[in-house]
Structures are given as C-alpha cells and as structure tokens.
Amino acid sequence: MKDYFKNHPLGKIGLFVIPIIIFIILMEMFFPDLAPEGFQSFILAFEFAQTPADINNLFGNLSAEEIWKTDVGNYLDYGYMILYTSLLISAFNKLAKELNIKYLRIGIYISILVFLSDFIENIFLLKLTTNYLDSGQEAEMISNLHFLNIFTWAKWFSLSILFALLYSIFYKEKWYIKIPMVVFLFPLLYLIASPERTPEMLTNFTNAIFCCFAVLVLFLFITPKKWLEKNRR
C-alpha cells in the first residue's frame, strides 16, 4: 500500500470518498423515499423548489416527525459538504503543484464558493421546513424560496464550471484519454443547451455532476506518478 501511494500521489486524496459515501448513506436514512415526478430524490426536488405549492407538494403527506428527520438529514449535509469540498480543494491544489499549472488554483476558489453556497442553501432549507410547520408564513416562505434558488444555482453552476476547468488538463491528450474525459464538460454544455428547467432536465444535470465526481475519484486513484511527470508544464 505504501508503494501504491508513492507511485500514485493523488491516491490519498481519493480516500475522501470513503467518509463521503458514509455521509450519503446516513443522509438517505433521514430523507423521505418519495419524490415528485421527474426528480430522482426528495432532497433534489426540495433544493429546486420554486413556489409554496412545491413545498406543500413535498411535505403534504409527511408527518411532523418525518419533516424533523428531513432537518436532521440537512444537518448531516454540513459534514458531507465539508468532505466533498475538501476533496475538490485538495485535488486542484495537488494537480496545480504536480502539473505546474497555476491556473488550476482557480479551482480552489471555486470550490470555496461551492461550499459557501451549499452552506447557505441549507440554512434556507431549514427555514422552509419551519415555515411549513408554522402556518401563516407564506410571505416569508416566498422570500426564503427566492434566496434558496439563488444559492442552489450558485452551487450547481459553480460545480459545472469547476469540472469544465478540470477538463483543460486533458484536451491535448490522446483521443482514448481525451474522449472519456469530455464527461467533465457535459454538465456545463447540457446546462447551456437546455434552457427549460424541467424536473427531468434538473435530474439529468445533477446526475452529470455526480458522474463527474465519480470520474474524478477514479482518476485520483489510477493516475500514476509517471503521467503527472510527463504532463508537467
């Protein structure tokens, strides 16, 4: 194992995936299983809620205890966001050093923006559950939904930019490397090409982001030191 990490200097960063998966499993234990049509999960529909009607549709069939569990899932999400942004920051910092590409450090600042957006997004998710449980707060709910929309899109759009930046280290590679890595461009291209924000579009877009995370983790584990040395600029 020691020789593996010596020959794969990015591998240790990939180990972040272990606690990340644990947090995903824990959060899924608290979020409801059902989601509105077109969305793959309850929490995704919650993040992209637009109106009080969307919130009523999400929580209408849930008990107060089930809504409380949703809050617990969102509190756990704070740990999850620390882990995945730590992975991103560490990956971009290490790649910038190993490849001697200074502009990759921009990815560190974008990752921080992702974290801050996700952090604030969760604040408004928690506010919205309170609004729903306390009747007569529709005006406040509308205001909270407005800010939720801003920070939700700040997070997801920043992630699409972040992965597009990552693709820049592969565009001069041979075709059998360059073509698979086009996956890092897909979220941003799909977002640009799909102006209508339907549940199906949002599900596909966020799935593309998760796919980018999976490919990044795989890249961190399998990339040998020789490749980094060969591509050093």
Side-chain angles (χ1 to χ4, degrees):
M1 185 63 72
K2 184 177 180 181
D3 289 339
Y4 168 80
F5 287 120
K6 182 178 179 181
N7 295 321
H8 298 78
L10 304 177
K12 287 184 179 180
I13 300 171
L15 293 175
F16 271 110
V17 75
I18 297 173
I20 285 173
I21 291 173
I22 291 172
F23 265 84
I24 290 173
I25 293 171
L26 287 173
M27 287 188 296
E28 287 300 318
M29 293 171 62
F30 291 95
F31 292 134
D33 294 328
L34 297 177
E37 185 177 355
F39 286 105
Q40 68 177 2
S41 67
F42 175 91
I43 190 58
L44 186 63
F46 193 9
E47 288 184 18
F48 286 103
Q50 297 285 319
T51 65
D54 293 334
I55 299 298
N56 292 331
N57 185 39
L58 280 169
F59 292 110
N61 295 320
L62 300 181
S63 65
E65 182 180 354
E66 288 172 320
I67 295 174
W68 175 81
K69 286 184 178 180
T70 299
D71 281 351
V72 175
N74 280 318
Y75 281 121
L76 286 169
D77 191 32
Y78 284 110
Y80 171 66
M81 70 180 71
I82 290 171
L83 289 167
Y84 82 73
T85 52
S86 295
L87 183 151
L88 292 171
I89 290 170
S90 300
F92 275 91
N93 184 53
K94 187 71 171 178
L95 285 168
K97 289 180 180 178
E98 293 287 341
L99 299 175
N100 193 32
I101 302 176
K102 292 182 179 179
Y103 71 77
L104 285 179
R105 294 187 181 278
I106 296 171
I108 296 172
Y109 301 109
I110 298 176
S111 298
I112 293 171
L113 177 60
V114 169
F115 173 78
L116 293 174
S117 299
D118 203 356
F119 188 95
I120 299 172
E121 173 196 85
N122 268 30
I123 292 174
F124 285 102
L125 291 174
L126 293 166
K127 284 177 178 287
L128 284 164
T129 55
T130 300
N131 292 156
Y132 178 81
L133 291 170
D134 296 340
S135 59
Q137 295 197 35
E138 184 167 327
E140 186 176 344
M141 183 183 288
I142 291 171
S143 175
N144 288 331
L145 282 165
H146 171 73
F147 287 108
L148 173 67
N149 186 256
I150 292 172
F151 290 104
T152 295
W153 274 110
K155 177 185 74 174
W156 290 106
F157 182 70
S158 296
L159 284 168
S160 69
I161 294 292
L162 190 69
F163 286 118
L165 176 66
L166 187 60
Y167 178 75
S168 67
I169 67 177
F170 301 107
Y171 78 97
K172 289 185 178 180
E173 277 293 316
K174 295 178 180 179
W175 67 270
Y176 55 82
I177 295 178
K178 181 164 53 178
I179 291 177
M181 292 307 177
V182 169
V183 68
F184 289 127
L185 291 176
F186 187 76
L188 182 60
L189 295 177
Y190 183 72
L191 191 60
I192 294 170
S194 305
E196 190 176 357
R197 306 296 187 242
T198 63
E200 291 78 12
M201 176 270 163
L202 295 170
T203 294
N204 292 336
F205 169 65
T206 53
N207 280 340
I209 294 289
F210 293 132
C211 183
C212 288
F213 269 107
V215 173
L216 172 59
V217 170
L218 180 63
F219 170 74
L220 294 172
F221 279 124
I222 69 173
T223 301
K225 186 175 182 179
K226 290 181 179 179
W227 186 88
L228 296 169
E229 291 173 345
K230 187 184 80 169
N231 288 276
R232 187 172 177 83
R233 301 178 190 177

